[in-house]
Amino acid sequence: MRRKLVIGNLKMNGSITANQKLFAGVMAGVADLRNADYALCVPYPYLCQAQSLMQGSNVAWGAQNLCANEDAALTGAVSPAMLVDYGCTYVIVGHSERRIQLHETDDTAATRFNAALNAGLTPVFCMGESKEERESDWTEYVVGRQLDSIIRRYGAELLTKAVLAYEPLWAVGTDIPATPEQAQEVHHFIRKRVARCNAEVAENVRILYGGSVQTENAPALFAMPDIDGALVGRCSLEAKAFVGICQAANQV
């Protein structure tokens, strides 16, 4: 049985003072929740703080992006090795906000996915369709294309060391999450797509749902057979809300 995983994505939020309160609240809230895994992905400047405060707890930490280059004259870039230096476990790759606002592509996301794996990090590879694409019945085409960008290049077997995340763009940062049934339908499609290449990998890879996950809808989402946890945005900024989602994962 796949173990549930809840990852908080702080996005471009936080401060040293706010983080200290958030991290302490999350660590205390999940300290006795041993049936699932938990992590917070923080902005680069706060990785040192995350490592200092959360090491030894049952909360892992990670980054929200990385550069595919190991060592290069790239001003402002952060390499996989730098994330390893700060004890990161996870790194988010291909988030919809970066695809849309920073023009990242399937190709660049796939390259960073592989770079993360080579460094010993666990990439959280994001996929999802826009409102227009869903209304045009293109969901499976778009999600399948994004998933295939890594499977074609590197093979399905590498997914045993990764996490997949379905985040419909029309639900991210809104108050209109996908229903558990809508999310399950796409998660099932993703698992079947992986199974075409390797059935064992498909059975074991964890697929998270991201898009307005809250304490209220988390139990119904986590009850779906192909939803293995959540990639949480807004509710990861407040310890009580995030811990509530973690409690739902722990109870499944």
Side-chain angles (χ1 to χ4, degrees):
M1 187 175 186
R2 295 179 300 273
R3 186 175 169 90
K4 290 289 190 288
L5 169 64
V6 180
I7 298 178
N9 175 15
L10 273 61
K11 305 189 180 183
M12 197 173 70
N13 293 289
S15 68
I16 290 175
T17 301
N19 293 347
Q20 187 167 2
K21 179 180 178 181
L22 174 66
F23 297 168
V26 170
M27 287 188 292
V30 305
D32 296 325
L33 306 182
R34 299 294 176 174
N35 296 329
D37 298 321
Y38 320 101
L40 293 174
C41 287
V42 307
Y44 292 140
Y46 302 127
L47 287 174
C48 181
Q49 185 185 24
Q51 182 183 39
S52 174
L53 296 179
M54 291 194 284
Q55 58 185 337
S57 74
N58 63 332
V59 182
W61 60 93
Q64 300 169 15
N65 193 37
L66 79 167
C67 180
N69 297 73
E70 294 184 8
D71 186 16
L74 293 172
T75 301
V78 174
S79 73
M82 293 175 183
L83 302 185
V84 173
D85 273 348
Y86 282 103
C88 290
T89 298
Y90 300 98
V91 58
I92 299 172
V93 175
H95 193 280
S96 61
E97 291 160 354
R98 297 195 62 87
R99 290 179 187 262
I100 295 170
Q101 299 180 45
L102 298 174
H103 310 294
E104 295 186 355
T105 67
D106 292 345
D107 290 339
T108 60
T111 302
R112 292 199 312 281
F113 171 88
N114 191 53
L117 286 174
N118 288 339
L121 297 162
T122 300
V124 182
F125 188 80
C126 299
M127 301 163 283
E129 81 285 8
S130 68
K131 179 180 178 182
E132 293 75 15
E133 289 164 340
R134 169 165 279 271
E135 291 175 347
S136 299
D137 201 26
W138 283 16
T139 296
E140 291 189 358
Y141 168 77
V142 173
V143 173
R145 184 201 73 214
Q146 293 167 341
L147 178 61
D148 288 351
S149 70
I150 54 176
I151 292 179
R152 284 199 316 270
R153 289 172 173 82
Y154 309 115
E157 289 70 25
L158 286 182
L159 294 178
T160 59
K161 303 176 182 178
V163 172
L164 300 177
Y166 169 57
E167 44 148 21
L169 279 64
W170 47 272
V172 174
T174 72
D175 293 315
I176 311 174
T179 66
E181 293 75 20
Q182 287 173 323
Q184 164 60 24
E185 182 179 13
V186 181
H187 279 237
H188 183 61
F189 164 77
I190 292 170
R191 205 173 298 282
K192 285 199 307 180
R193 191 90 166 193
V194 176
R196 297 192 312 182
C197 303
N198 190 308
E200 183 178 359
V201 171
E203 180 61 29
N204 290 288
V205 65
R206 292 196 282 192
I207 309 173
L208 311 183
Y209 170 73
S212 299
V213 180
Q214 303 171 22
T215 304
E216 293 76 15
N217 64 357
L221 286 165
F222 297 159
M224 295 292 109
D226 289 302
I227 298 179
D228 304 314
L231 180 59
V232 183
R234 283 181 299 175
C235 284
S236 67
L237 302 178
E238 201 274 309
K240 182 178 180 181
F242 185 72
V243 169
I245 295 170
C246 294
Q247 289 172 334
N250 183 71
Q251 292 169 0
V252 176

